[in-house]
Amino acid sequence: MPEQSGDPFAVAAASAAALAERTRQTQHDVAVVLGSGWAPAADALGPAECEVPLAELGGFPEPRVPGHVPAVRLVRIGGLRVLVFLGRVHLYEGHSPAAVVHGVRTAIAAGCATIVLSNAAGGIRSGLQPGQPVLISDHLNLTGQSPLTGLSLTGDGPSPFTDLTEVYSARLRTLARERDPELAEGVYAALPGPQYETPAEIRMLRTAGADLVGMSTVLEAIAARHLGAQVLGLSLVTNVAAGLSDQKLDHGDVLATARTAAARLGALLATILPEVG
Ligand code: HPA
């Protein structure tokens, strides 16, 4: 599938219709995007009623990052119809913002009012430990891109001048902390990648108020808020950010840390999800 062109909402509506045909559901409630290393947590969410390769839905580019399986599952959790996206696509793979947020727009077109975004992140704030899940309280979009660029300012759709004062729902964060009182919160800074940061960049990010650093999530969160969906963000700290320890960063280590934490992450999601729909 070539990179999207034309009306991204029409493409999402077509993907949602193709999805509904395969899940045999006219309505879905919650979407979960499992980021780097979170995919092994999918099985802890329960059996899939069906699993659909994203390539069958149209509008999705082929992901090319090891560790990402391009499919979406339908899982019933506490009476909710949850769409679990196994993997996502990233700007650093050369994809457009529209391609990056296509899954979220498709999920919302399929009826989801709540979007749960997970990712792997480097820990900037001292005390954040590899293997630890952290609720995202806010973000710094340092990708230089927006999924809302170029949208009509005068058409029928929601205004692209989207309010971002509460991207990550305070209500959902409170619910998540009630389920797991040990959950820390932090501000997530997104850079375009794919290279990891320099120690100087990490010092800059810390001064700018970032607790976590990664290469995803923020464009999807913006796209979800533009369409009025509620967002819950969860980072898994896979490493201490560059220059804050004597370790060098290695993508294999990042994924290995995530795999080790997968069971805990799955259990965490399974306790939170029934509450958030
Ligand atoms: N930096 C950016 N992205 C990441 C990191 C990091 O340290 N760890 C996992 N994803």
Side-chain angles (χ1 to χ4, degrees), residues 11-57:
V11 183
S15 297
L19 179 62
E21 221 170 84
R22 285 162 178 79
T23 62
R24 301 199 166 120
Q25 303 294 320
T26 49
Q27 174 68 28
H28 305 82
D29 304 302
V30 179
V32 184
V33 179
L34 295 176
S36 302
W38 284 74
D43 293 335
L45 300 179
E49 264 180 40
C50 72
E51 181 165 321
V52 184
L54 297 183
E56 288 183 13
L57 301 180

Side-chain angles (χ1 to χ4, degrees), residues 62-251:
E62 283 292 311
R64 295 186 287 262
V65 184
H68 289 275
V69 189
V72 57
R73 285 182 181 178
L74 173 65
V75 182
R76 299 248 174 199
I77 303 176
L80 298 172
R81 286 153 296 190
V82 180
L83 292 173
V84 182
F85 287 82
L86 302 163
R88 57 154 62 89
V89 293
H90 300 87
L91 289 174
Y92 62 69
E93 297 170 81
H95 298 303
S96 64
V100 168
V101 304
H102 182 62
V104 164
R105 285 181 174 154
T106 296
I108 294 170
C112 295
T114 304
I115 307 290
V116 179
L117 300 170
S118 65
N119 60 43
I124 297 178
R125 191 172 76 216
S126 68
L128 293 181
Q129 303 287 345
Q132 180 178 353
V134 180
L135 280 172
I136 300 176
S137 58
D138 203 349
H139 76 217
L140 300 172
N141 176 10
L142 302 176
T143 66
Q145 307 246 38
S146 166
L148 311 184
T149 299
L151 295 185
S152 166
L153 304 179
T154 53
D156 298 336
S159 166
F161 296 111
T162 302
D163 172 62
L164 295 182
T165 42
E166 192 184 312
V167 178
Y168 302 91
S169 160
R171 181 181 71 84
L172 295 183
R173 280 186 277 140
T174 302
L175 284 173
R177 275 198 316 271
E178 278 168 13
R179 306 305 298 181
D180 184 347
E182 284 180 14
L183 268 178
E185 286 201 355
V187 173
Y188 175 88
L191 272 68
Q195 72 283 352
Y196 291 115
E197 300 71 34
T198 64
E201 286 165 344
I202 294 300
R203 288 193 297 275
M204 175 192 77
L205 292 174
R206 184 156 59 186
T207 305
D211 301 306
L212 302 154
V213 60
M215 307 174 192
S216 69
T217 303
V218 298
L219 299 189
E220 292 148 288
I222 292 167
R225 292 303 301 134
H226 171 243
L227 295 175
Q230 300 292 303
V231 178
L232 182 70
L234 273 169
S235 285
L236 169 68
V237 179
T238 49
N239 56 282
V240 174
L244 299 180
S245 77
D246 46 19
Q247 302 260 307
K248 294 209 165 154
L249 299 193
D250 177 89
H251 188 59

Side-chain angles (χ1 to χ4, degrees), residues 243-271:
L244 299 180
S245 77
D246 46 19
Q247 302 260 307
K248 294 209 165 154
L249 299 193
D250 177 89
H251 188 59
D253 291 347
V254 164
L255 292 180
T257 303
R259 265 194 300 279
T260 311
R264 176 163 176 217
L265 300 178
L268 174 65
L269 281 175
T271 53

